[in-house]
Amino acid sequence: MSGPVLFLLRLLLVGALYAFLGWVIWILWQDLRKSATAQLPPHLAQIDLVVRAGGAAKTLSFRMPEVVIGRDPACDCVLEDAAISARHARLSYHHNQWWVEDLHSRNGTHLNQMPVNEPVVVTTGDQLQCGPVILDIVLGESPIATVEREKVQA
């Protein structure tokens, strides 16, 4: 073969190699972008607790993945009653639902007058009882429900 033909083949080989490397880098970049957006925390649905104790009522709103209820000042929802354990119950948001579980409290946790022995899904209108304190649960709209409603209206 002649020199110019070999030179041209070398240039084509180098060009193909750079094109392949560019394609691999582009694929890796796209994969990184997808995984970065998948790592974003999900939007949390708001939960409101209407705390009724001793005739008084107050509403507490939370938008976090976990709400610990108890007497301990480090709890998210502090209930000042001697019958409440330091860490009495936990509300947690996962699988697009709010769940309640008893944290091995001394006086137990009841949901709609039934004892909570394992994690249970809660909905708006449920009554959670920790000792003598009653908490009415009001769930805010989940982002999924809002999106579905917007699709229906459009």
Side-chain angles (χ1 to χ4, degrees):
M1 279 199 202
S2 66
V5 172
L6 282 176
F7 181 71
L8 185 61
L9 286 175
R10 285 182 187 166
L11 283 179
L12 287 174
L13 183 63
V14 168
L17 180 64
Y18 278 117
F20 175 75
L21 288 175
W23 178 72
V24 168
I25 289 172
W26 185 78
I27 293 293
L28 288 173
W29 176 256
Q30 294 297 319
D31 191 42
L32 257 168
R33 283 186 30 203
K34 285 180 186 175
S35 66
T37 55
Q39 298 288 333
L40 294 175
H43 293 0
L44 297 174
Q46 180 173 327
I47 186 167
D48 297 329
L49 301 176
V50 180
V51 181
R52 292 188 287 141
K58 66 178 178 179
T59 302
L60 303 171
S61 295
F62 299 97
R63 191 179 288 267
M64 55 182 63
E66 184 176 281
V67 178
V68 178
I69 301 167
R71 198 178 63 241
D72 187 355
C75 290
D76 302 306
C77 178
V78 179
L79 302 177
E80 310 258 346
D81 193 293
I84 305 292
S85 298
R87 290 176 48 89
H88 198 95
R90 174 179 33 231
L91 290 162
S92 56
Y93 186 76
H94 53 90
H95 298 97
N96 292 326
Q97 295 177 322
W98 279 99
W99 298 70
V100 64
E101 65 180 304
D102 184 58
L103 297 177
H104 307 292
S105 61
R106 183 180 38 196
N107 293 320
T109 303
H110 292 79
L111 181 66
N112 298 326
Q113 300 177 348
M114 300 293 293
V116 175
N117 299 321
E118 59 188 26
V120 180
V121 175
V122 296
T123 59
T124 297
D126 283 348
Q127 280 193 344
L128 185 65
Q129 185 173 355
C130 300
V133 180
I134 295 175
L135 298 100
D136 293 321
I137 296 174
V138 179
L139 300 180
E141 279 190 0
S142 69
I144 294 171
T146 304
V147 170
E148 287 176 357
R149 192 179 70 223
E150 288 174 357
K151 285 182 183 176
V152 171
Q153 290 176 352

